[in-house]
Amino acid sequence: MLAVEDPATGQRITAVPDCGPAEVDKAVRAAAGAWPAWHVSDRHAALTSCAVVVEEAAPVLAPVLSEEQGKPLHEAEAEFAEAASRFRYFAGLRPEPRADGGGPVAAITPWNFPVQSAVAKLAPAFAAGNTVVLKPSPRTPLTTLHLGRMLAQVLPPGVLTVLTGRDPLGEYLLAHPGIRQVDFTGSADTGKRMAAAPEWRRLTLELGGNDPAIVLPGTDPAAIAERLFWSAFANCGQLGVAVERVYAVGPGYDGVVEALAAVAARVVVGDGRTPGTQLGPVNNRPRYDRVTGLTDEARADGARIVTGGPLDGPGYFFAPAILAEAHDGMRVVTEEQFGPVLPVVRCSTVDEAVGLANATAPGLCGSVWGADEEYAAEVAARLGSGTVRVNAHLAMPVGSRWSASRAGLRA
Ligand code: NAD
């Protein structure tokens, strides 16, 4: 069995099956067996039923998600709401069948948005007529396992199987010859390993990044601090498209740092199930140690911890940290931290900031913040990130920032 941990206490909640090659084989065979009838069926009703299942599951499973992932309850509820709308959106689509057929898809998810990431894979796969073997992260398997069982009740047998277990369960799944496509969200390192695997697979890789944000000279820090802060610290910074590093240009640097630190100091950090909590614990010990290590390393190299850092007590609590006088010689700047720490780099010119932003893996998103939006857009166009925005990063209203962040498809 695989133990599931509560990151707020470090204690074991329960245990789930620790599957291996035999379970993989059984699930993939079931998925292959279900595919011929499933892909020629009208799947509109099934996808709509999935949306209803997700909605009905939310009151029961959102607390479970909050417990195993750490996030505040209202954010766990938001994951379910986004997931339900994803199923409804895809229920309304009629994708053309692929000329090269379809078949069992291996869906592999990370621990930061277990429900949202799972449904972001299931809904399009089902709409396209594929069957799915879903493998959640071993750090957050519980909610996905429960939800998968509930969804399987409104789907033909074999269309969806959830397999929980320790690594290398994902590798067993990928290596199974019955898998036709892999839909993966996780770290760039794992993605690289998958791309290099000897088996031929159609791969969809949604990986990490190191998103930069540039604050232009003359920007009023008070006008942007709250939005910029939450663009970095939503979901405790455990978000693929979070701001990971800020480049503040000109004499306004100190004001930007102070304004971000003021927001950080007001944030309520606590158990996700406690009403009023805005940031829960970091999800797991290795991530907590990494964030602590990167912060310590930066401090030793001259960064100033204006506010935040590890908190005493059980669980993996870490108050949101703002690091002043950070620079591109520090790993906290050049690597994705994926946690509640934000380095702010001092720049003299906009050219310098753009150069530094682009010098390191430029990230999934990038943003430029300033009063003159036309000029900010010109600067944004020089960033190498996949998506660039002005005066926004996640481009979502506060409160649902991350819940729709993956869904360019609804824009
Ligand atoms: P991870 O790569 O360690 O694990 C992701 C999943 O892959 C887990 O289910 C894991 O068990 C599985 N896995 C690990 N090695 C495997 C292998 N060799 N073959 C098959 N499966 C394998 O990532 P993580 O720590 O769970 O998640 C954090 C990372 O995910 C961050 O880098 C983050 O940026 C990224 N992420 C990106 C997005 C996005 O939208 N692009 C969203 C969420 C997370």
Side-chain angles (χ1 to χ4, degrees):
M1 296 294 279
L2 166 69
V4 184
E5 194 186 47
D6 175 353
T9 60
Q11 300 296 308
R12 180 182 184 275
I13 304 168
T14 183
V16 295
D18 188 13
C19 297
E23 288 84 1
V24 166
D25 188 53
K26 191 173 167 213
V28 177
R29 283 175 189 276
W35 180 74
W38 173 244
H39 96 281
V40 295
S41 66
D42 178 1
R43 295 175 297 280
H44 176 83
L47 275 129
T48 306
S49 299
C50 288
V52 173
V53 166
V54 172
E55 279 158 359
E56 290 179 355
V60 183
L61 291 186
V64 178
L65 176 58
S66 177
E67 187 178 22
E68 71 169 338
Q69 204 286 330
K71 62 183 64 192
L73 184 57
H74 66 273
E75 292 178 20
E77 289 164 350
E79 270 205 56
F80 280 86
E82 202 276 346
S85 64
R86 188 71 64 117
F87 269 128
R88 284 196 199 285
Y89 175 85
F90 278 97
L93 294 187
R94 295 280 184 282
E96 290 293 313
R98 294 176 84 122
D100 59 352
V105 170
I108 299 182
T109 53
W111 46 261
N112 58 340
F113 286 85
V115 170
Q116 205 172 305
S117 335
V119 172
K121 298 182 181 333
L122 296 181
F126 290 164
N130 294 312
T131 53
V132 179
V133 180
L134 169 62
K135 191 207 84 64
S137 167
R139 304 201 178 280
T140 51
L142 191 56
T143 317
T144 312
L145 184 62
H146 286 312
L147 184 64
R149 285 177 180 158
M150 292 163 92
L151 290 170
Q153 285 172 11
V154 299
L155 295 166
V159 168
L160 171 63
T161 304
V162 175
L163 295 180
T164 57
R166 296 181 175 81
D167 295 335
L169 179 59
E171 287 181 55
Y172 296 145
L173 184 56
L174 251 71
H176 195 290
I179 291 295
R180 299 294 307 274
Q181 175 157 353
V182 178
D183 186 352
F184 170 80
T185 301
S187 65
D189 283 348
T190 307
K192 279 181 206 159
R193 280 208 299 282
M194 286 181 172
E199 303 87 15
W200 180 89
R201 295 285 180 272
R202 187 185 298 280
L203 288 177
T204 304
L205 301 175
E206 203 179 294
L207 308 177
N210 191 22
D211 290 12
I214 294 176
V215 181
L216 295 174
T219 307
D220 176 8
I224 62 161
E226 186 90 19
R227 245 174 319 141
L228 181 54
F229 175 87
W230 285 110
S231 298
F233 289 95
N235 203 39
C236 212
Q238 302 164 134
L239 181 67
V241 292
V243 171
E244 301 274 338
R245 49 197 171 118
V246 171
Y247 297 95
V249 186
Y253 177 89
D254 293 328
V256 172
V257 168
E258 278 162 30
L260 286 171
V263 181
R266 281 200 303 271
V267 166
V268 180
V269 179
D271 189 317
R273 289 150 296 182
T274 305
T277 293
Q278 289 175 288
L279 283 188
V282 172
N283 172 259
N284 56 74
R285 165 66 69 184
R287 183 58 47 180
Y288 176 84
D289 288 345
R290 175 169 162 82
V291 173
T292 305
L294 289 175
T295 307
D296 288 348
E297 207 177 282
R299 189 200 337 241
D301 198 15
R304 182 165 55 90
I305 319 291
V306 187
T307 185
L311 297 172
D312 288 340
Y316 310 130
F317 290 102
F318 194 105
I322 305 296
L323 271 57
E325 310 306 343
H327 57 75
D328 271 38
M330 298 171 175
R331 289 199 304 146
V332 75
V333 176
T334 55
E335 295 180 15
E336 179 189 45
Q337 321 98 15
F338 211 65
V341 56
L342 182 64
V344 188
V345 177
R346 187 189 289 274
C347 294
S348 309
T349 64
V350 172
D351 283 351
E352 182 191 4
V354 170
L356 289 172
N358 287 338
T360 296
L364 303 169
C365 296
S367 53
V368 179
W369 304 69
D372 180 345
E373 296 207 336
E374 222 166 286
Y375 176 56
E378 279 171 30
V379 177
R382 295 168 59 196
L383 290 183
S385 313
T387 303
V388 288
R389 297 198 170 93
V390 168
N391 289 329
H393 195 90
L394 310 178
M396 241 83 38
V398 174
S400 63
R401 289 171 297 272
W402 50 90
S403 68
S405 67
R406 308 158 49 93
L409 52 94
R410 280 188 299 144

